[in-house]
Amino acid sequence: MPAVPAHTAAERLAALQRLVIVSVLGFASGLPLALTGQALQAWMTADGVDIATIGFLSLVGLPYTFKFLWAPLMDRFDLPWLGRRRGWLVLTQLALAAALWALAATSPSASIRLFALLAVAVAFVSASQDVVIDAYRTDLLPADERGLGASLNVMGYRLAMIVSGGLALIWTDPAQHGAWSWPEVYRAMAMLMAGAALLSATMLPRVPMPAGRASVARHDLFGFAAVLAAVAVGYLLSARFAPPVAQALLGPWLEGSTLEPRLQQRWIDLVALLLGIGLTLPLAAWAARRARFETLLSGLAAYFSQTGAAGFLLLIVLYKLGDAFAGSLMTPFLLKSMAYSPAEVGVVNKVIGLWLTILGALAGGALMLRLRLWRALLLFGVLQAASNLGFWWLAVYGKGVLPGLTLPAFDWGFVALAQATPVDGGLLMVIAVENISGGMGTAAFVAFLMSLCNQRFTATQYALLSAFASVGRVWVGPLAGVLAESIGWPSFFVVSTLLALPALAMLAWLRRPIRALEGGG
């Protein structure tokens, strides 16, 4: 671990304690994310669900993009006994345990609608946990620890994804005599979240209440209810009117295309979804203003008072967009199109790859002590963009081009390979480059988000910023699934590389306001 930026022995010990806590909270945050993302895709792939449907089911992550709507309640109200942030944390972790247990009892192929609804419930509670963890971490860390704190948060986050993503694929691989089914994996993860709730209740230090006038409680409650009602009205209107409008817009173009009917309908569904969002979000904003949702409105006003605030939001959307686009269907690409075995994907992409992400995050945190924020964002953003071309190369040239290696059989108790497993050299190279650069970029990106937050509205503002950051991860899924089937994987990965370039242009434009953030929070 790089040197902790503190001076006296007592300060070093306190800083070390804070950074360990940040790592543990990162683990709790990362565990359910894979269970609504790549692990869920692997389960559906194994159960015979088609790729376009899997792409649309990435929308189960929608709560991650709307969590700023209920985050103000977590800023405004504190649950009794456990203090600020901790009560919400324990509640969300217990709810996650229950939701994962329910999901484990549902089959994706036999009950796809119920399965999707339960996955949305997991994502909703997971997004709520992230609201609390992000706010707690931002409140806990002083400005000079945020680079290292961000890298250690990514380390814990990725360690959790090794467990819920990589090890789970090995546990369920029949070729490795995997004794676990996917429902058993999800039940095990539910028990881990219950254990996290116990640790949160007993081990985390309290954070102080911020200074400043609290909003009127009834205004926040009424405002949140009004926003929910507006979202419900927007959903109903979208369900009724958006599909025929999308059909009218795309009908003439689709009639002359060579796309098969199933893919034509997917494009119509995608445009209908975008029309629905375009209606619902302005309606929710209008409802928040009319109902005087004070914590939300005050938090947004405090954020937008910063120089470059609107530009920062656009940069947040764009910075991980190319990375998210390339990774949105990575599991079905490797399992179905490249025909790698589940154990090989689990070992390389989920275990070795995620360890390399941790290495990249730690290296990124250390480099940020010298590079500072703007240079780190620029350098790591260039590396992220270039790494997507590795998947293009893999899709074009296939496996077996580079010499690989063979992992011997082993049994470590919690994970085992029943037989020696070949590892393709090309896959290993591409995953190594992508995960190291992605880990560096994530460390700089999290530090950037923390630097934008005001302590009075940490949950609200960080939820808003991270919701914008998750736009790529969640919203590109439907487009990615349809596009991959329409243009093929090589062209798909070229598009993902091009999508990374606008963020670099934004960084050049925002150089001065980002450098103004480097000295403090």
Side-chain angles (χ1 to χ4, degrees), residues 18-164:
R18 288 192 293 268
L19 295 175
V20 169
I21 288 168
V22 164
S23 303
V24 173
L25 291 178
F27 186 91
S29 177
L31 197 73
L33 182 64
L35 299 175
T36 57
Q38 293 187 340
L40 200 74
Q41 290 181 357
W43 186 0
M44 289 188 288
T45 301
D47 221 38
V49 180
D50 64 89
I51 288 179
T53 299
I54 292 173
F56 265 83
L57 282 180
S58 67
L59 291 177
V60 302
L62 279 176
Y64 289 101
T65 66
F66 291 115
K67 59 187 177 182
F68 64 91
L69 295 178
W70 63 90
L73 300 183
M74 295 177 161
D75 262 334
R76 176 60 181 83
F77 300 103
D78 295 310
L79 300 184
W81 303 305
L82 294 174
R84 184 165 175 81
R85 309 297 187 201
R86 294 196 308 170
W88 284 114
L89 189 55
V90 172
L91 178 63
T92 54
Q93 288 170 344
L94 290 175
L96 268 171
L100 288 170
W101 197 273
L103 186 62
T106 309
S107 166
S109 58
S111 306
I112 189 65
R113 288 183 180 273
L114 177 60
F115 185 83
L117 288 174
L118 287 171
V120 169
V122 172
F124 171 78
V125 186
S126 176
S128 302
Q129 180 197 222
D130 286 352
V131 167
V132 188
I133 288 176
D134 293 336
Y136 182 90
R137 182 184 65 243
T138 305
D139 291 346
L140 187 68
L141 294 178
D144 60 355
E145 292 175 16
R146 287 175 180 166
L148 285 177
S151 67
L152 291 171
N153 176 77
V154 173
M155 181 190 74
Y157 183 90
R158 296 294 182 168
L159 280 173
M161 294 184 70
I162 288 174
V163 174
S164 61

Side-chain angles (χ1 to χ4, degrees), residues 228-403:
L228 285 184
V231 170
V233 170
Y235 170 77
L236 293 174
L237 291 174
S238 301
R240 174 67 180 86
F241 297 108
V245 173
Q247 176 69 53
L249 290 173
L250 292 184
W253 174 75
L254 290 174
E255 287 176 3
S257 73
T258 58
L259 290 176
E260 60 182 276
R262 179 176 61 86
L263 285 178
Q264 291 185 20
Q265 185 59 48
R266 292 301 188 193
W267 280 106
I268 292 171
D269 292 342
L270 178 62
V271 172
L273 173 67
L274 296 175
L275 291 172
I277 295 167
L279 170 66
T280 303
L281 285 182
L283 189 61
W286 174 83
R289 288 193 299 270
R290 292 300 300 267
R292 299 171 63 187
F293 195 172
E294 291 183 0
T295 301
L296 175 61
L297 297 176
S298 299
L300 295 180
Y303 170 77
F304 281 104
S305 67
Q306 300 180 87
T307 302
F312 290 153
L313 284 183
L314 182 58
L315 174 62
I316 287 167
V317 172
L318 295 176
Y319 190 73
K320 301 292 283 186
L321 184 61
D323 207 35
F325 200 83
S328 60
L329 294 171
M330 189 56 57
T331 299
F333 166 66
L334 296 176
L335 290 175
K336 194 169 185 179
S337 298
M338 298 299 299
Y340 291 115
S341 71
E344 189 173 7
V345 173
V347 169
V348 177
N349 190 36
K350 307 298 186 180
V351 179
I352 296 175
L354 289 177
W355 276 112
L356 291 170
T357 302
I358 293 169
L359 174 64
L362 293 175
L367 287 171
M368 284 185 67
L369 295 176
R370 291 184 175 275
L371 294 174
R372 305 301 297 270
L373 186 58
W374 182 83
R375 288 183 179 177
L377 286 168
L378 181 63
L379 175 61
F380 303 159
V382 170
L383 293 177
Q384 283 181 163
S387 70
N388 287 349
L389 292 175
F391 292 107
W392 166 84
W393 176 86
L394 195 63
V396 170
Y397 294 101
K399 55 185 178 181
V401 176
L402 297 180

